[in-house]
Amino acid sequence: MRISELAKATGVDLETIRYYEKQGLLPAPEREENGYRSYTGEHLERLSFIRHCRALDIPLADVRRLVAFIASPAEDCGDINLLIDQQITRVKARLKSMRALEKQLSQLRARCDDRHHGKECGILHELVAAAHGEACACHAENQ
């Protein structure tokens, strides 16, 4: 299949496919006489695997390690477990950060509970004050 067909089958952008090839995550395809890349079912499977890993927000370096494990199926999977444990830790940290962001935005939103003219908007007032280096509701230290 051609790259456009591979992209359509996997939902991966053409440039991303080329990038994965350059990074060695996806093996280089054979070339047809006209110079077009010719992808196989193996490419489709590998790209689908990579896409699934990326959907789990696994970094490319870790995806590369997982691909290497696929190539060596007899090796112990302890490192795979560790890799996923590390990803879980990263996700938990991001969730904590996102909860803090939600709290900050909620505190900011509480500054304007009705419709006003822009000059009377508590949200804009807080954002402008923060831009001037003043304390703002969303970054108050003891909240």
Side-chain angles (χ1 to χ4, degrees):
M1 72 184 86
R2 294 216 171 129
I3 192 168
S4 60
E5 296 167 313
L6 181 63
K8 186 176 181 180
T10 58
V12 176
D13 183 77
L14 295 168
E15 290 304 313
T16 303
I17 294 171
R18 290 185 186 111
Y19 177 77
Y20 290 161
E21 285 178 29
K22 288 177 188 172
Q23 295 300 309
L25 289 167
L26 193 62
E30 297 290 323
R31 295 275 184 166
E32 297 176 1
E33 287 183 20
N34 58 11
Y36 289 138
R37 294 173 169 96
S38 180
Y39 295 92
T40 66
E42 289 180 34
H43 291 100
L44 177 64
E45 184 178 319
R46 172 71 62 85
L47 188 55
S48 295
F49 176 84
I50 294 167
R51 185 172 189 264
H52 188 196
C53 290
R54 295 299 293 143
L56 295 170
D57 208 28
I58 296 173
L60 284 180
D62 290 346
V63 173
R64 185 182 318 283
R65 290 175 57 203
L66 291 169
V67 167
F69 278 111
I70 291 172
S72 304
E75 288 196 30
D76 181 75
C77 70
D79 285 344
I80 297 171
N81 295 337
L82 178 61
L83 184 145
I84 297 301
D85 288 342
Q86 291 169 341
Q87 181 62 9
I88 291 168
T89 299
R90 285 189 291 267
V91 167
K92 286 180 179 180
R94 268 202 325 266
L95 286 170
K96 182 179 178 182
S97 175
M98 293 303 290
R99 282 188 214 95
L101 177 59
E102 178 187 26
K103 182 179 177 183
Q104 290 172 336
L105 287 168
S106 294
Q107 290 168 340
L108 184 61
R109 179 62 179 90
R111 295 298 180 174
C112 187
D113 58 1
D114 203 0
R115 296 182 74 134
H116 306 283
H117 293 277
K119 66 182 180 181
E120 298 168 350
C121 179
I123 294 171
L124 286 178
H125 174 74
E126 290 293 326
L127 293 172
V128 169
H132 291 128
E134 300 172 23
C136 63
C138 57
H139 287 95
E141 289 187 34
N142 295 320
Q143 292 188 7

